[in-house]
Amino acid sequence: MTSQNKPNSRRDLLKSMAAAGALIGASAAATAAPRKAAGPFLPITASARRELKKAVKGQVLWQGEAAYESARGNAVYRANKPKRFPTVIVIAESDKDVVAAVRFARGHGLKVGRRSGGHGWSSAHLRNGAMLIDLSRMQEVEIDAKNKTLWTHPGVLGSRLNAELNPLGLIIPTAHHPTVGIGGFAMCGGFGWNSRLWGNGSAHILAVDVVNAEGELIRADETQNTDYLWAARGAGAGFFGVVTRMKMRVNVLPPVMKLSAYGYTADVLEELFTWARGIVDKIPPYMELVIVSTAHDAKTGLASPVRLTVAALAITETHKQADDALAILETCPVLSKATFRRVGIPQDLEQRYASGYAADPAGYRFAVDNIYTNAPAAELVPKLRKLFTELPSPRSHVFWLNWGPTRPFPEDMALSVQGDVFLAAYSLWEDPAQDEAMEMWPVNQFKDLRSLSVGGQMNDENIARSPQRYLSDAANNKLEALRERHDPHGVFLSFLRSVT
Ligand SMILES: Cc1cc2nc3c(=O)[nH]c(=O)nc-3n(C[C@H](O)[C@H](O)[C@H](O)COP(=O)(O)OP(=O)(O)OC[C@H]3O[C@@H](n4cnc5c(N)ncnc54)[C@H](O)[C@@H]3O)c2cc1C
């Protein structure tokens, strides 16, 4: 074992974080000095606590109160809940509650974290000594089918939006997993249904209602408060406000959805990935092609040898278009070694969400890391065997997505990092005694690949443990300048820089 692939010690980790110092967008966001406090602040006395309860129609739970711990746990999807304890949790029921909460936080020197669906992998919203504003009880959706738009509260699940849109012949890209909130998904970038064709979740945001650092409710769209709209489209936890409603573009639901899937053993891993890298430019935008390594039996859940599944989903206008696109899977040079082959199976979103849920079911402990790369097969493929075959538990999995050929992102979005191939590793486990090792596993697995990375995807971020380039330098500099302008006293928490 070389020193490069030895498990990371805490010192190595700190060293790598310092070296990466300039990363998030590789610069200021990770290293920025804490903002000046707006104090003097009012003390948080018993009467101040009562005052907040009176001002908020929803629930206010101060640390130590009976329902606090379950609200804290519910705010995070993964079972390895961070040991971070906000001073107060406000479960808002309306914009007015959010305004009251932000004003209280401002006056009393509490920093504010925001939760929509609670699936952010690093749970940046949960911080010691802060206020957590939980938006999950705000659940209104208004669809304007004629104009192909909707207004939604950010805590609404993506799958619910499509359950309402699909009968109207409409669809919106959401996470492939049914319980992810539309808020964090779209604000972090968001790779969803046909995103290669229709754009990321961020590109679907047309307007946002925001409670800003002054505690005022404002609207941001193409004509007003445009800084907020730009940042809502991809700044993720770096956003300087609380989004209380989002207006989003929706797409016409194409009539055909078909899936092909082929199984391979790890013996053919190099041939498989060399082929997959080589066809990046040939995959039409209405098809997503992934290769996933798993090490459990899909029916029993029991450990099994590593299996590589090549799967492609085509969402198209005609059967011919779908069949033609899926036919590329038959060009795989090791096709004759496929252990199973399922071709052109009709699908609907309900089935796809169920499959997403089966991969990442509730109740597990999770950790993640990812990179985007443009590296050619000759450099990339030799580094993939370790990543894809050393799964630390039966439920853990590693993911390859042919994201390219990349089209430049428009400048009206903070979202700014992408690459031809997206790689992500997910550890899943149950035993708390394994936390430290399993939380570091995805980070360690990418060590050998860092030199080939062009940055990471914010949705699958692990910023505290694996600081990397999540925004372009230009976008990062702009975000820092906007945070300074619109939240000079740092009312809102930003990216999580330390896991404790
Ligand atoms: C099981 C699972 C499957 C996933 N599948 C996919 C997938 O297929 N495609 C994909 O792109 N991503 C996927 N993700 C990643 C997911 O999109 C991101 O983690 C996303 O941030 C989660 O959104 P949320 O609203 O549920 O999370 P939250 O934890 O509520 O939000 C994440 C962060 O966004 C910020 N934020 C959230 N809401 C607001 C708001 N209203 N105002 C201001 N800031 C806010 C906060 O800083 C918060 O910490 C998946 C995640 C999980 C856990």
Side-chain angles (χ1 to χ4, degrees):
M1 192 183 259
T2 66
S3 63
Q4 251 202 328
N5 56 17
K6 266 187 207 150
N8 230 349
S9 69
R10 196 167 177 76
R11 208 185 48 183
D12 286 342
L13 178 65
L14 291 173
K15 256 173 32 192
S16 71
M17 285 174 72
L23 302 173
I24 275 218
S27 46
T31 50
R35 273 159 226 281
K36 322 168 257 307
F41 299 115
L42 299 167
I44 303 178
T45 56
S47 82
R49 289 168 185 241
R50 285 195 298 274
E51 180 201 318
L52 181 62
K53 285 199 192 241
K54 249 173 83 184
V56 168
K57 197 160 160 266
Q59 232 174 333
V60 173
L61 297 164
W62 290 94
Q63 194 174 1
E65 290 185 350
Y68 169 92
E69 190 48 29
S70 71
R72 193 185 78 90
N74 289 342
V76 173
Y77 178 69
R78 58 194 166 101
N80 47 332
K81 313 288 175 192
K83 292 187 184 64
R84 300 193 295 264
F85 298 86
T87 297
V88 62
I89 300 174
V90 176
I91 307 179
E93 285 187 1
S94 66
D95 293 351
K96 278 190 189 156
D97 281 358
V98 179
V99 167
V102 171
R103 289 185 179 174
F104 183 94
R106 233 184 105 79
H108 292 80
L110 292 171
K111 291 196 175 291
V112 175
R114 303 129 300 180
R115 182 252 175 169
S116 286
H119 284 59
W121 295 103
S122 68
S123 319
H125 52 288
L126 210 62
R127 308 279 184 98
N128 289 328
M131 170 187 279
L132 168 62
I133 301 184
D134 183 330
L135 299 147
S136 61
R137 269 197 210 156
M138 293 165 61
Q139 287 292 324
E140 277 164 27
V141 177
E142 245 174 76
I143 297 173
D144 179 349
K146 192 165 147 248
N147 291 308
K148 298 194 205 71
T149 60
L150 60 77
W151 276 100
T152 180
H153 279 141
V156 169
L157 305 187
S159 59
R160 176 182 151 202
L161 292 182
N162 275 323
E164 296 191 19
L165 287 168
N166 291 182
L168 304 173
L170 299 169
I171 181 172
I172 189 165
T174 69
H176 298 66
H177 189 283
T179 64
V180 176
I182 193 68
F185 167 80
M187 291 183 68
C188 292
F191 158 67
W193 314 115
N194 261 2
S195 271
R196 295 178 66 245
L197 177 66
W198 297 324
N200 293 70
S202 290
H204 285 72
I205 302 177
L206 300 174
V208 280
D209 285 351
V210 178
V211 177
N212 67 13
E214 300 293 321
E216 293 162 342
L217 181 64
I218 58 168
R219 175 153 298 175
D221 58 25
E222 299 286 355
T223 61
Q224 56 190 326
N225 300 310
T226 50
D227 291 347
Y228 289 85
L229 180 62
W230 177 86
R233 293 170 167 164
F239 186 76
F240 37 86
V242 186
V243 169
T244 59
R245 296 214 311 159
M246 305 162 79
K247 182 180 183 184
M248 302 186 78
R249 165 170 70 82
V250 300
N251 310 283
V252 174
L253 176 67
V256 178
M257 195 179 291
K258 277 183 165 177
L259 175 85
S260 289
Y262 298 64
Y264 294 95
T265 66
D267 297 342
V268 296
L269 182 145
E270 282 76 13
E271 291 100 315
L272 204 56
F273 284 115
T274 303
W275 162 76
R277 182 68 186 95
I279 59 170
V280 162
D281 291 345
K282 300 198 178 85
I283 298 175
Y286 43 79
M287 185 167 94
E288 60 189 52
L289 188 151
V290 302
I291 303 179
V292 186
S293 76
T294 48
H296 70 274
D297 183 281
K299 285 198 185 109
T300 64
L302 297 174
S304 70
V306 168
R307 183 178 60 240
L308 297 166
T309 303
V310 180
L313 181 70
I315 305 179
T316 59
E317 294 305 321
T318 66
H319 283 279
K320 180 170 173 2
Q321 236 181 355
D323 296 338
D324 288 351
L326 293 169
I328 201 161
L329 275 69
E330 297 279 323
T331 67
C332 178
V334 288
L335 182 66
S336 62
K337 296 191 177 163
T339 54
F340 68 82
R341 187 163 163 259
R342 299 187 191 117
V343 180
I345 308 157
Q347 292 288 290
D348 58 31
L349 276 193
E350 221 173 294
Q351 288 166 303
R352 296 322 304 152
Y353 282 126
S355 160
Y357 186 83
D360 293 318
Y364 279 86
R365 309 172 91 77
F366 288 91
V368 65
D369 201 4
N370 78 83
I371 63 165
Y372 275 119
T373 181
N374 293 324
E379 284 177 48
L380 181 59
V381 174
K383 293 180 186 281
L384 295 181
R385 179 162 285 276
K386 174 180 158 68
L387 177 65
F388 277 85
T389 60
E390 289 182 5
L391 299 181
S393 68
R395 282 274 173 187
S396 299
H397 47 92
V398 182
F399 183 82
W400 160 296
L401 166 72
N402 279 40
W403 172 251
T406 54
R407 291 174 290 166
F409 286 133
E411 289 192 358
D412 59 5
M413 302 198 291
L415 179 67
S416 46
V417 166
Q418 58 179 336
D420 278 348
V421 173
F422 174 66
L423 294 168
Y426 308 82
S427 51
L428 274 73
W429 70 104
E430 290 169 278
D431 180 0
Q434 294 182 304
D435 280 359
E436 183 59 25
M438 294 297 261
E439 284 176 5
M440 286 312 297
W441 177 80
V443 177
N444 289 335
Q445 287 302 94
F446 274 111
K447 268 180 153 184
D448 288 350
L449 284 138
R450 295 269 176 236
S451 59
L452 304 181
S453 167
V454 292
Q457 191 209 58
M458 186 93 76
N459 288 73
D460 282 347
E461 57 87 9
N462 189 346
I463 290 170
R465 286 197 156 89
S466 179
Q468 55 175 325
R469 185 173 177 267
Y470 288 99
L471 296 173
S472 70
D473 287 352
N476 185 65
N477 291 338
K478 179 168 174 178
L479 178 60
E480 274 306 298
L482 294 183
R483 283 182 64 83
E484 189 60 44
R485 185 183 313 157
H486 296 295
D487 185 13
H489 301 299
V491 172
F492 297 105
L493 290 161
S494 183
F495 301 104
L496 185 76
R497 290 172 202 137
S498 150
V499 288
T500 52

